[in-house]
Amino acid sequence: MTNEEIIARNNRYLFPLYPRAPIALVRGQGCRVWDADGKEYLDFFASTVVASLGHSHPSVTRAIVEQAQKILHVSNLHHSEPQALLAESLCTHSFADRVFLCNSGAEANEAAIKLARKYGAEHGDGRFEILTALGSFHGRTIATITATGQEKVRLGFQPLPEGFRYFPYNDVEALEAAISARTIAVMIEPLQGEGGIVVPHPDYLRRVRGLCDRYGLLLILDEVQTGMGRLGTLFAYEQSGITPDIMTLAKGLGAGVPIGAMLATDKLAVSFTTGAHGSTFGGNALTCAVAVAVMRVLIEEGVLANCRVQGDYLRARLRELQMRSPRIRDVRGEGLLVGVELDGPGAPVVDACRHAGLLINCTAEKVLRFSPPLIVAQYEIDRALDIVDRVLKQ
């Protein structure tokens, strides 16, 4: 089918929930993708920061084929080897002692919210309130849109679950003022992605951790977007010198297959006993086998170092562009999660880049988001920024 034919069918039969670009992608290789009409694009969006190792990475493809030849799915009423290997790897390389496996970032955050509340009921004097940051994004389920600090995603879905309040991101004093006798946890992103690539002060997480310790609160880090190497270390919290009590992952964990994870310490895990939570497809054998392969590639093949080097180069090149373009107000980010704030709407720039062969995204209406696969090469960054340069001159 052509782009036009695929789009016509989607428009006829799918809920119109997404502002889709008028192309249908049918093939990918590394940082490049092709649409149904054969046009090639550089993918600097990585399919919503999911394609962490690019498209059709040989290790991911091999894991899919080998696991599919064995068994696709194993009920959580039985054990599976890929699930065991993934849980062991995640715990070995993080602060955590226990893992809950699910299908998405929203499910992981839902599990984190439930675990915090269960722990509060059993060991926190009945405290249940969770504080989250303004501008945050934590998912699309009814609890996670309530946790999300953006009113626009909650409109029309009231009444919402009780027990969520919001504080200004990157403001420790405001967070402390928001703490009440009912508060059990603080839930934040180490860097706000959907909120406009907002980078906090270098000591922000350390000070939030200190507040949580002082008031007996749990610290939940939403690393759905920042985890799995996106900021140059396996998890973003490693750069702050602290550890959370709960952490959530998704997106890059499966490098293209749907998987999420909620990690916690043994201290909290005592509240998630048999029957407290669950998932039919969570921990699926195929997706776990892929995630094990992704972990190995990230840790053993220099991908994290490449993310740091190419991220520095990308920001440096963008700042050079800023010197020549009055339309760029700011360049910010860490690793390969980079934002370019414009002086006006970003959507027309995104569209023009796509026409020129570059896929990027706009968040917070005027912040261009550059999040290429972590394997991106310098020459691909140069090609991408040549396109951006031409578009901004138009």
Side-chain angles (χ1 to χ4, degrees):
M1 286 193 284
T2 64
N3 280 332
E4 185 177 359
E5 290 168 335
I6 295 171
I7 292 166
R9 282 169 170 77
N10 274 346
N11 289 342
R12 168 63 183 82
Y13 295 109
L14 292 177
F15 282 107
L17 293 169
Y18 306 98
R20 296 177 193 263
I23 57 173
L25 301 179
V26 296
R27 185 164 64 91
Q29 187 70 48
C31 296
R32 297 177 298 161
V33 291
W34 287 263
D35 70 19
D37 293 343
K39 183 175 178 178
E40 178 183 328
Y41 304 84
L42 264 177
D43 185 3
F44 268 48
F45 183 40
S47 299
T48 322
V49 201
V50 166
S52 53
L53 300 182
H55 299 275
S56 301
H57 190 282
S59 294
V60 171
T61 303
R62 189 181 311 116
I64 291 172
V65 171
E66 290 179 354
Q67 187 59 42
Q69 291 172 335
K70 298 175 183 174
I71 189 167
L72 287 176
H73 181 69
V74 176
S75 159
N76 280 309
L77 299 184
H78 301 91
H79 295 277
S80 82
E81 181 177 337
Q83 196 175 98
L85 293 175
L86 178 58
E88 179 183 42
S89 182
L90 286 171
C91 289
T92 300
H93 293 96
S94 75
F95 71 97
D97 303 305
R98 297 281 175 175
V99 179
F100 170 75
L101 295 168
C102 50
N103 305 290
S104 68
E107 278 189 68
N109 283 332
E110 188 87 17
I113 290 165
K114 287 183 67 177
L115 177 58
R117 287 197 166 184
K118 191 80 161 27
Y119 182 83
E122 296 175 346
H123 305 282
D125 301 321
R127 289 176 290 157
F128 61 89
E129 187 177 73
I130 296 175
L131 303 180
T132 68
L134 292 170
S136 62
F137 183 82
H138 298 295
R140 296 284 186 181
T141 67
I142 200 73
T144 56
I145 65 168
T146 311
T148 292
Q150 301 183 48
E151 188 176 359
K152 65 182 181 182
V153 308
R154 302 192 295 269
L155 288 176
F157 296 106
Q158 292 82 358
L160 298 170
E162 296 181 356
F164 292 89
R165 289 195 298 120
Y166 315 99
F167 60 90
Y169 190 65
N170 207 15
D171 186 338
V172 177
E173 287 72 25
L175 169 59
E176 184 169 17
I179 295 170
S180 77
R182 304 184 304 175
T183 306
I184 186 62
V186 175
M187 184 175 188
I188 57 171
E189 299 155 284
L191 178 157
Q192 289 190 333
E194 297 297 327
I197 316 297
V198 181
V199 182
H201 296 305
D203 66 344
Y204 180 62
L205 286 186
R206 183 181 56 76
R207 294 185 67 192
V208 172
R209 175 76 268 183
L211 271 186
C212 289
D213 292 341
R214 191 184 315 160
Y215 290 94
L217 310 180
L218 305 176
L219 175 58
I220 305 171
L221 288 187
D222 178 345
E223 292 227 27
V224 167
Q225 191 160 149
T226 60
M228 304 313 298
R230 179 52 60 182
L231 302 193
T233 50
L234 194 55
F235 309 113
Y237 78 80
E238 297 175 62
Q239 300 179 32
S240 64
I242 60 101
T243 58
D245 299 294
I246 303 174
M247 176 174 69
T248 55
L249 302 170
K251 295 194 182 293
L253 177 58
V257 301
I259 185 170
M262 187 272 291
L263 288 67
T265 60
D266 270 337
K267 174 186 171 184
L268 275 74
V270 297
S271 292
F272 255 15
T273 52
T274 303
H277 195 52
S279 169
T280 296
F281 289 104
N284 170 274
L286 180 71
T287 59
C288 284
V290 172
V292 169
V294 171
M295 288 284 289
R296 286 177 179 157
V297 172
L298 288 176
I299 294 166
E300 299 173 6
E301 297 188 10
V303 176
L304 301 178
N306 186 68
C307 174
R308 293 191 291 271
V309 170
Q310 302 306 339
D312 289 345
Y313 182 73
L314 173 59
R315 289 191 297 280
R317 284 289 321 271
L318 284 168
R319 289 188 177 111
E320 291 174 8
L321 197 57
Q322 183 183 12
M323 299 287 286
R324 303 194 301 273
S325 175
R327 299 181 63 182
I328 297 179
R329 286 186 171 177
D330 191 24
V331 175
R332 53 184 183 255
E334 297 287 343
L336 285 170
L337 186 56
V338 179
V340 173
E341 183 174 337
L342 301 178
D343 62 352
V349 176
V350 171
D351 291 342
C353 285
R354 186 181 64 255
H355 284 297
L358 172 67
L359 301 184
I360 55 174
N361 165 258
C362 177
T363 184
E365 297 184 356
K366 59 182 180 180
V367 180
L368 304 179
R369 176 165 47 183
F370 294 78
S371 55
L374 307 182
I375 59 167
V376 69
Q378 183 174 315
Y379 79 90
E380 291 169 319
I381 293 174
D382 289 336
R383 277 184 56 195
L385 294 197
D386 285 346
I387 292 173
V388 176
D389 193 10
R390 292 200 303 271
V391 166
L392 291 178
K393 288 175 179 173
Q394 293 174 359

